Amino acid sequence: MHEHNVGFAVARLSRAEFDQVYLMRRLLETEVIRGLAQPTAEQLADVEALAQAVEQAAADLDLARMRTLNSEFHQAIFGLSSLNLVVAEISRIWTWALPYHAVYLYDEAGRARVLAEHREMVAALAEGDFERLVELMDAHRSGSEAQLDVMLRSGAAARPSAG
C-alpha cells in the first residue's frame, strides 16, 4: 500500500482477512493432504531433512532461517500432491501471513511446540496416516492462529517483523 508523503509499506491484514487466510489454508491443505499417496523413501527423506533443518535453526536461534525452513517444510509436504494448482494457491495464501509468523517463533515454548508437531507430522506421513496428518496439521495451524490472534488483539501487529 502507498502512504502519502511516506512511500510504500506492507499492508497489514485486518482481523477478517486474517481469519479468511486461515480458513482458506484449512480447506485447501486438508484436501491436498487427504489426496496424498504414500511418499517414496526419497520424498520422505527430503521432508525429514527439512524438519531437522528447522530444528537446527531453532537450536541456533536463527529465527529468520527457522521461519523460511518452516515454510519449506510445509510446502514440501503439500508438494507431494499432484494437485499442482491447489498447492500453488496454498503457497500464495501462505505469503499473506508470513510476516506475522516470525512473532510466535520468539517464544521458546512456541518454538518447542512447532518442532514437536513437525516430528509428529513426519511420523504420520511415514506411516501413510493422512487422516492423522490432517488432524496434526489442524492442531498445528490452530496453535499458530491462537498465538497470532493474541498478537493481533494486543496491537503488536502494527509492525510485523520482516525477518
Side-chain angles (χ1 to χ4, degrees):
M1 68 182 218
H2 184 264
E3 295 179 34
H4 184 66
N5 292 328
V6 175
F8 288 92
V10 176
R12 289 182 289 160
L13 292 176
S14 70
R15 179 66 221 195
E17 291 167 333
F18 192 80
D19 289 344
Q20 289 176 64
V21 165
Y22 272 78
L23 171 65
M24 289 185 290
R25 281 189 54 196
R26 181 178 52 81
L27 295 170
L28 296 175
E29 290 171 11
T30 296
E31 286 304 310
V32 162
I33 292 168
R34 283 192 173 133
L36 291 178
Q38 181 66 38
T40 66
E42 181 181 345
Q43 290 170 325
L44 187 58
D46 290 345
V47 172
E48 287 174 331
L50 283 167
Q52 290 170 358
V54 173
E55 294 211 21
Q56 186 59 56
D60 295 342
L61 288 177
D62 186 344
L63 303 184
R65 186 167 170 260
M66 185 181 177
R67 183 179 69 169
T68 298
L69 290 166
N70 177 66
S71 294
E72 289 178 19
F73 169 79
H74 287 278
Q75 297 306 319
I77 292 173
F78 305 140
L80 298 172
S81 171
S82 63
L83 300 175
N84 300 335
L85 293 175
V86 178
V87 171
E89 190 63 17
I90 290 170
S91 181
R92 188 178 73 83
I93 292 167
W94 264 68
T95 62
W96 290 337
L98 275 179
Y100 299 89
H101 289 174
V103 174
Y104 63 83
L105 296 179
Y106 283 93
D107 173 50
E108 185 177 347
R111 287 191 307 275
R113 178 187 58 82
V114 165
L115 299 176
E117 290 170 350
H118 282 187
R119 287 188 292 270
E120 289 183 65
M121 287 180 215
V122 170
L125 185 62
E127 294 166 6
D129 189 348
F130 302 121
E131 283 305 313
R132 176 74 177 136
L133 185 55
V134 166
E135 291 171 11
L136 291 166
M137 194 69 76
D138 285 347
H140 189 65
R141 192 181 320 100
S142 293
S144 299
E145 187 176 14
Q147 287 179 313
L148 292 169
D149 182 55
V150 169
M151 177 194 68
L152 286 172
R153 280 200 234 148
S154 73
R159 291 192 179 103
S161 171

